[in-house]
Structure formats: structure tokens, C-alpha cells
Amino acid sequence: MTEQALTEAVTPAEIASRSQRVAPRLREHLEVTPFVPFGAFSEELGAEVLVKCEHLQRTGSFKARGSMAKILTLTDEQRERGVVTASTGNHGLGVSNALATLGGRGIVYVPENASVSKVAAIKRFGVEVRSQGTDSGALELVARQHAAENDLTYVPPYNDPDIVAGQGTVGVEILEQLAGQQLDAVFVAVGGGGLVSGIASVLKRYRPEIKVYGASPVRDAPMVASIEAGKVVQVDAQATLSDGTAGSVEPGSITFELCRTLVDDWILVSEDAISAALRMVIDTEHQLIEGSAAMAFAAARARRTELEGQRVAIVSCGGNISASTLVAALA
């Protein structure tokens, strides 16, 4: 890596192995989410669409997986002394849920513009919430420093092998639920890259023919910019309906190399496309998803001509959308 790594680099094979090992432990505490057809969207794309419904996961997001996987590696003493993390919402919810389940104390740093509903949900778990700044990437460094200075355990939102492996259990379940059936492509929302790194590590190890698409909002796509630059770079981000993917990529993150190696194609999604996809899911499936999940549907729409006749998976990564954001998206 060209930048100072904050976490030791790991290979996709190592992540896949970790995902397989941790999957049974996560099932003791979390849901095996449905992997189901979305008929109207299948008809629209001319493809068979299967949706991995992580918006139905405990805490309303896939983030519960990585957080639980990491907290499971800590001792009782480490959890009781306390953990620290930074999050735009969903990761903080995952960490808080894991602490409530396994026992322990926590501090969650959130940006001042974080979703009000997500912050309220974090507080209900009884952890301490600290609001600071507006850049979740910069906030990760603040949280990491606080943990180091106070002998607490820092739990990264994505830059950690255990976190990425926990997210990779989504891929483990997809393969199990396919039961040997063909799958041609998978669409995944990308912020820091933990989810797509984990899923792609698993899928590429066992079904390398599956094409992995990464989707990011046009307004805030640091991983895409970093891949194009060949190193982690900062971008001038704007507010986006995909608040679950918002924030810069931590320099030296293990997810950069995993994304560079594993993601076959990148799609930048406009705010209008995210809104339209959100409306489509509500109108046709009557399920509520958040902007980052809608972005994966929008990305599939952008590639509809190349998907015709294929079996396609869409990872609906979360459902934690506030009323105000939903009103803005549907306006």
C-alpha cells in the first residue's frame, strides 16, 4: 500500500474464510435475511431480480453483522472498559446492538448532520453519543484517537478484517440461498467499501463468474475517485439521499485494495435516480428502504441493457430512513 496502513492488509481469500467461520456465530444473535424475487422490478429489467433484504436485518441494516463480528472478538473486560466508534448512523446502531446483546459500554461519534432518527435509535441502546463536525471520515480519526488516549477499543465502521468478514456473511447467505442456482451479477452500495469487499471476497472465491457492481452517489463517491486515482483521495462531498454511504475513505483502509481488486464495474447514481428507485420499491413491493439501498436498485436500472435475461442480485442494505428524508425523496 502506498499510504500508512491503520489496519494490516488481508487477502480476499482470508476475508472469505473469516466470513465462513463467523457466519454460524452471527446466526445466534442476528437474522438470516430473506433473498426473494421482486417481480415488478424483474419485469422492468427483463431479468430475474433477487433482493437480499438487509433492510429487514436487526437494527435495520447490514451493519449489525460487522459490528457483532468485531464485538464477539473482544473479552468481557474489553467490552466493560468500553468501545468507541464513529458512524453516520447504521454502524453506530450495529455497535450499540452488539453491546446491548453481549454486554459492555460504548461511545458513538456521529456527524452533526447525521439522521435524527438514527441518532435517536442509537441513544435508545444506552450508549453515549457525541456529535462533532460534518465529515464522518474525519470523525473516524477523532474516535480512533479518543480510544487510544483512554485505553478503549476502537471499532472501525469498515477498516477492519473482522468487520469486513462480518459483512461478508451476506455473501455466505446468498450462496446458501441460491442452492447452486446460477447468479450473473450483484449490485452493492459502496461508501467505505466494507460491504462490497466482504460480499465480493466470498462470491469471487466460490463463484468467480459473478460480476460485482459497486454503486455510489454522484455527490459523494470517495471510493470511486480513489480507485480512479490509484490511491485513497478526498472528495468535495455534497449531501445525498444515500446518507448510509456518506463520508470519506480512511487513508490506508484495507477496503481500498479489496475494492480495486474485486469490484468489476462502478456506477455513479444521481439523486433523481435514487429517489425514483425508492418510489419504485415502495409502490411495487410496499417495503421501506433507505437511500443507500435504493441506490443499488438505481444502479441496476442504469445497466438494464446488459442485464437482460440474467439472474441478478441486489443487496438492499438498509431501511433506516427518517420521515423528513423520505418526504424529500418522494417530493
Side-chain angles (χ1 to χ4, degrees):
M1 305 176 84
T2 59
E3 301 174 72
Q4 183 180 2
L6 295 171
T7 304
E8 185 178 352
V10 291
T11 66
E14 290 171 324
I15 293 295
S17 294
R18 290 191 189 208
S19 295
Q20 291 283 5
R21 290 196 301 270
V22 78
R25 298 194 68 193
L26 293 193
R27 289 173 188 176
E28 298 174 15
H29 306 290
L30 301 175
E31 307 298 327
V32 175
T33 54
F35 188 46
V36 295
F38 271 30
F41 197 51
S42 295
E43 184 176 334
E44 177 186 333
L45 293 189
E48 182 181 352
V49 176
L50 298 169
V51 177
K52 184 61 171 163
C53 297
E54 286 297 291
H55 60 280
L56 301 179
Q57 182 55 264
R58 197 164 301 181
T59 76
S61 165
F62 77 94
K63 288 283 191 177
R65 295 175 182 266
S67 303
M68 185 67 73
K70 183 62 178 179
I71 300 299
L72 280 168
T73 69
L74 305 182
T75 65
D76 291 344
E77 192 276 334
Q78 286 175 314
R79 294 198 305 271
E80 185 55 36
R81 189 187 312 134
V83 305
V84 183
T85 193
S87 171
T88 57
N90 285 338
H91 174 63
L93 276 168
V95 170
S96 302
N97 172 71
L99 291 172
T101 301
L102 302 173
R105 301 187 303 157
I107 299 171
V108 180
Y109 283 86
V110 300
E112 294 170 354
N113 57 354
S115 164
V116 174
S117 61
K118 291 180 182 180
V119 172
I122 292 170
K123 289 181 178 178
R124 284 195 291 271
F125 280 108
V127 302
E128 180 182 350
V129 176
R130 298 182 181 181
S131 299
Q132 183 174 325
T134 57
D135 184 344
S136 61
L139 208 53
E140 291 168 31
L141 299 179
V142 173
R144 188 186 288 275
Q145 182 177 356
H146 179 80
E149 291 175 350
N150 293 275
D151 195 26
L152 304 175
T153 300
Y154 177 63
V155 180
Y158 54 85
N159 186 18
D160 182 281
D162 294 312
I163 296 287
V164 176
Q167 321 304 25
T169 61
V170 174
V172 173
E173 289 179 15
I174 286 175
L175 291 179
E176 292 174 349
Q177 291 166 317
L178 279 171
Q181 295 182 81
Q182 172 189 348
L183 183 65
D184 298 293
V186 61
F187 288 81
V188 186
V190 179
L195 179 61
V196 75
S197 292
I199 291 175
S201 291
V202 172
L203 296 185
K204 291 293 189 180
R205 180 174 185 179
Y206 299 103
R207 299 283 293 275
E209 74 280 4
I210 297 173
K211 189 169 184 178
V212 177
Y213 292 85
S216 292
V218 170
R219 289 185 172 183
D220 191 355
M223 184 61 78
V224 178
S226 296
I227 298 297
E228 291 175 348
K231 62 179 181 179
V232 174
V233 297
Q234 306 302 308
V235 299
D236 293 327
Q238 298 174 282
T240 173
L241 291 170
S242 181
D243 61 339
T245 64
S248 54
V249 177
E250 189 174 42
S253 176
I254 61 171
T255 56
F256 168 73
E257 190 62 27
L258 291 169
C259 284
R260 189 191 67 79
T261 303
L262 297 167
V263 177
D264 296 296
D265 195 9
W266 295 92
I267 303 162
L268 293 175
V269 183
S270 71
E271 296 301 295
D272 286 346
I274 295 173
S275 296
L278 182 62
R279 288 194 297 271
M280 180 273 296
V281 173
I282 293 173
D283 286 341
T284 61
E285 300 295 332
H286 313 297
Q287 296 192 38
L288 190 60
I289 62 175
E290 63 183 76
S292 53
M295 186 169 61
F297 286 90
R301 271 180 163 166
R303 292 290 189 271
R304 71 181 74 192
T305 56
E306 62 194 69
L307 299 177
E308 186 173 356
Q310 296 186 2
R311 178 177 285 122
V312 178
I314 295 175
V315 179
S316 179
C317 58
N320 294 323
I321 188 169
S322 67
S324 59
T325 302
L326 180 61
V327 168
L330 299 181

